[in-house]
Amino acid sequence: MAAADRKQNIVSALCKHLSTLSLDPNSYSTNLDKDIKSLCIDIFNSSPSGPSITKDNELMKWVEFASNFPVDSGTSLKALSELNEDLSKKSVILGNGLKISEADIVVFAAVHSSVISLSNSDRNKLPYLLRWMDYIQTKGDVGDSFQKILLEKVQFEPPVSNAYIAAKCVKKVEVESNAKKTDTETKPASSSDVDSKKKNNTGVKKAAADNQTSAEKKLPEKVDDKDKDISVSLLKLQIGHIKKAWKHPSAESLLVEEIDVGEAKCRQVVSGLAKFCSPEQLTNRLVVLVTNMKPSKLRDVISEGMVLCASNEDHTVVEPLVAPEGAKVGECISFAGHDGKPEDVLNPKKKQFEKIAVNLFTDDKGVATFKGIPFMTSAGPCTSSIPRATVK
């Protein structure tokens, strides 16, 4: 893209974003000989809060990034990779929860043409960038001049268990065995071939049966195609403050917590954390709580929610998700692109939580995600010390 076209795109998108000020992008078209930073400053200064905007060092750093963004495809891919890395722990450029800022608009307009021209293989390397681009083009009101980026389904895959691999091997053995059987059925077999075939089939079946027995109980629950895209917005996830915790009176593996989520009274929650945390370790922690689950009794003690925890593959390390410092008690977790209304109460018969939970996991950096989209609060994402963990 020519430098003038890029400048025009930035001017148009920024004026559209600040449309309440009735800014006309055509009035800046005669100044395209200026650099991007100067053009942005001119537009900012047209707003009532112009001086304060231009004094925002973090915002101006990103304007500088847009101004210096390379045109060469090889160099631009490197710059996009750095941007992808920066977006790995936040939903928007300045990290203001989900609030789109002038920095998002300027950078989006600057990198748009480069992202459009990426191959699918390069796009797959930039999941955080693509998630952000999709959010800005959907929610940012950047105008109609930008070609819609049709995103591939890029997401982190949750860790695959050894049992799952074993089951895949069983299936492969059976398929290969059946294929060989079909091939040999068309040929007359000698008596020695028949004996050999019986021995081989017996060995294959035994190996498959042994693997099946050890794996079948550990396979992840299958989800119907119609449920694969069930939205995380059905869950009401809130930041809770554990006021106190104690051992369950009749179950060694359970703890009971009193959790403040900003309601008139604290909620009582029962968690299976006794093997992994002491009551003292939980007290005063900020956690992520599912607050629209149907209350139930666990060993005669009422539980009014569920603390979301990360777990490693063999379930030997389990810990509650960590809410970032500065997160507000009671605030709801948000997910870019998922703005639906939570269910008042989840229906246990529909297994809504279970269907959503298969897509909850931490990424390589320990950020809690739904299909790669971070659990976001006003203070940043929720995390865990366990990377590539399941979350439930």
Side-chain angles (χ1 to χ4, degrees), residues 22-36:
S22 299
L23 296 176
D24 180 10
N26 292 326
S27 63
Y28 298 93
S29 299
T30 57
N31 297 324
L32 294 182
D33 55 325
K34 291 185 176 182
D35 60 30
I36 290 174

Side-chain angles (χ1 to χ4, degrees), residues 174-282:
E174 290 174 343
V175 169
E176 289 178 348
S177 177
N178 290 337
K180 289 179 181 178
K181 180 179 178 182
T182 301
D183 184 55
T184 54
E185 278 176 350
T186 60
K187 300 177 183 179
S190 66
S191 60
S192 59
D193 289 337
V194 171
D195 292 339
S196 175
K197 181 178 176 181
K198 285 182 178 178
K199 287 182 180 180
N200 288 339
N201 281 348
T202 301
V204 168
K205 288 180 180 177
K206 187 176 184 302
D210 290 343
N211 284 332
Q212 183 75 29
T213 301
S214 62
E216 60 186 1
K217 293 183 180 179
K218 299 179 183 178
L219 284 176
E221 183 178 347
K222 292 183 178 179
V223 179
D224 293 337
D225 288 341
K226 65 182 180 181
D227 295 321
K228 282 184 178 178
D229 292 327
I230 192 167
S231 176
V232 70
S233 61
L234 294 178
L235 302 183
K236 188 171 185 180
L237 306 180
Q238 292 179 269
I239 299 300
H241 176 220
I242 299 180
K243 306 288 284 185
K244 61 180 179 179
W246 61 95
K247 293 181 179 180
H248 191 287
S250 59
E252 291 185 358
S253 63
L254 301 178
L255 295 178
V256 185
E257 303 98 29
E258 183 179 282
I259 304 179
D260 178 13
V261 289
E263 298 170 336
K265 55 179 287 189
C266 291
R267 292 188 179 222
Q268 179 174 280
V269 177
V270 180
S271 305
L273 289 169
K275 295 180 181 179
F276 310 101
C277 307
S278 67
E280 293 73 26
Q281 289 173 322
L282 289 179

Side-chain angles (χ1 to χ4, degrees), residues 235-238 267 269 288-293 304-308 346 353:
L235 302 183
K236 188 171 185 180
L237 306 180
Q238 292 179 269
R267 292 188 179 222
V269 177
V288 178
L289 190 69
V290 185
T291 57
N292 62 340
M293 303 192 91
E304 301 170 301
M306 181 169 68
V307 176
L308 284 186
L346 295 174
F353 176 77

Side-chain angles (χ1 to χ4, degrees), residues 13-23 43-44 47 53 102:
L14 200 51
C15 288
K16 179 70 175 175
H17 178 68
L18 299 171
S19 58
T20 53
L21 303 174
S22 299
L23 296 176
I43 297 173
F44 294 151
S47 70
I53 294 177
E102 290 79 9

Side-chain angles (χ1 to χ4, degrees), residues 58 110 282 300 332 338:
E58 190 67 16
L282 289 179
D300 297 322
C332 291
H338 292 269

Side-chain angles (χ1 to χ4, degrees), residues 49-314:
S49 55
S52 62
I53 294 177
T54 55
K55 289 179 181 178
D56 185 332
N57 292 333
E58 190 67 16
L59 169 59
M60 295 311 297
K61 181 190 83 171
W62 287 106
V63 171
E64 193 79 38
F65 172 88
S67 185
N68 296 329
F69 189 77
V71 177
D72 172 72
S73 59
T75 312
S76 67
L77 181 57
K78 181 180 179 183
L80 291 174
S81 297
E82 293 172 355
L83 179 57
N84 178 71
E85 178 73 14
D86 192 80
L87 287 164
S88 65
K89 289 194 174 184
K90 54 190 180 183
S91 287
V92 291
I93 291 284
L94 295 184
N96 300 326
L98 293 174
K99 183 180 179 182
I100 295 173
S101 69
E102 290 79 9
D104 291 288
I105 302 302
V106 172
V107 174
F108 174 89
V111 307
H112 179 271
S113 61
S114 295
V115 176
I116 282 286
S117 63
L118 289 175
S119 66
N120 284 339
S121 60
D122 283 336
R123 288 190 184 191
N124 287 334
K125 299 173 185 176
L126 305 170
Y128 303 110
L129 174 66
L130 293 182
R131 178 260 304 157
W132 170 77
M133 293 288 288
D134 182 56
Y135 182 63
I136 300 304
Q137 70 184 2
T138 303
K139 301 293 184 181
D141 194 18
V142 292
D144 301 325
S145 60
F146 293 93
Q147 179 185 339
K148 190 79 169 177
I149 298 175
L150 299 177
L151 302 180
E152 298 295 317
K153 286 190 175 180
V154 179
Q155 67 180 68
F156 299 101
E157 291 296 335
V160 179
S161 67
N162 290 333
Y164 182 71
I165 294 172
K168 295 279 281 187
C169 291
V170 169
K171 186 174 181 181
K172 184 177 179 182
V173 167
E174 290 174 343
V175 169
E176 289 178 348
S177 177
N178 290 337
K180 289 179 181 178
K181 180 179 178 182
T182 301
D183 184 55
T184 54
E185 278 176 350
T186 60
K187 300 177 183 179
S190 66
S191 60
S192 59
D193 289 337
V194 171
D195 292 339
S196 175
K197 181 178 176 181
K198 285 182 178 178
K199 287 182 180 180
N200 288 339
N201 281 348
T202 301
V204 168
K205 288 180 180 177
K206 187 176 184 302
D210 290 343
N211 284 332
Q212 183 75 29
T213 301
S214 62
E216 60 186 1
K217 293 183 180 179
K218 299 179 183 178
L219 284 176
E221 183 178 347
K222 292 183 178 179
V223 179
D224 293 337
D225 288 341
K226 65 182 180 181
D227 295 321
K228 282 184 178 178
D229 292 327
I230 192 167
S231 176
V232 70
S233 61
L234 294 178
L235 302 183
K236 188 171 185 180
L237 306 180
Q238 292 179 269
I239 299 300
H241 176 220
I242 299 180
K243 306 288 284 185
K244 61 180 179 179
W246 61 95
K247 293 181 179 180
H248 191 287
S250 59
E252 291 185 358
S253 63
L254 301 178
L255 295 178
V256 185
E257 303 98 29
E258 183 179 282
I259 304 179
D260 178 13
V261 289
E263 298 170 336
K265 55 179 287 189
C266 291
R267 292 188 179 222
Q268 179 174 280
V269 177
V270 180
S271 305
L273 289 169
K275 295 180 181 179
F276 310 101
C277 307
S278 67
E280 293 73 26
Q281 289 173 322
L282 289 179
T283 302
N284 285 324
R285 286 187 65 158
L286 288 181
V287 294
V288 178
L289 190 69
V290 185
T291 57
N292 62 340
M293 303 192 91
K294 187 176 181 179
S296 60
K297 281 189 176 182
L298 296 177
R299 297 290 290 272
D300 297 322
V301 176
I302 194 73
S303 182
E304 301 170 301
M306 181 169 68
V307 176
L308 284 186
C309 298
S311 169
N312 66 349
E313 184 179 350
D314 58 6

